Amino acid sequence: WTSSPNVTLSVDTSVVHSGAKAMKYQYHNGNSPYYAKASFGVGDSDGEDWTGRDTLTLWFRCTVKKEPMQVTL
């Protein structure tokens, strides 16, 4: 995972949808660079075989209603 300077990524075990872990994404857009971004590239170098998979499910839990979230695949 790579992220912009104003993003903190961590593993959360207290609030999960299913399974044992979730990725906690905290950001503050009030500081430069005035946007928040985290990215992960899926490919041959990550060691994960995605052959035959046809579904990706994302769950979000927002704690503050300030800004919209955009997901790009």
Side-chain angles (χ1 to χ4, degrees), residues 11-29:
V11 175
D12 189 358
T13 57
S14 63
V15 179
V16 297
H17 178 264
S18 64
K21 300 177 199 170
M23 181 178 77
K24 190 171 189 175
Y25 181 99
Q26 294 175 291
Y27 65 95
H28 184 351
N29 286 344

Side-chain angles (χ1 to χ4, degrees):
W1 287 93
T2 58
S3 60
S4 56
N6 54 347
V7 172
T8 302
L9 300 174
S10 60
V11 175
D12 189 358
T13 57
S14 63
V15 179
V16 297
H17 178 264
S18 64
K21 300 177 199 170
M23 181 178 77
K24 190 171 189 175
Y25 181 99
Q26 294 175 291
Y27 65 95
H28 184 351
N29 286 344
N31 299 329
S32 179
Y34 306 108
Y35 68 89
K37 177 180 178 180
S39 60
F40 179 77
V42 178
D44 296 333
S45 64
D46 68 0
E48 188 74 30
D49 182 6
W50 288 76
T51 304
R53 301 195 186 189
D54 62 0
T55 304
L56 175 65
T57 304
L58 302 172
W59 292 88
F60 298 94
R61 179 177 176 259
C62 297
T63 56
V64 178
K65 294 181 181 182
K66 284 188 176 182
E67 301 175 28
M69 176 177 265
Q70 176 181 339
V71 176
T72 304
L73 301 176

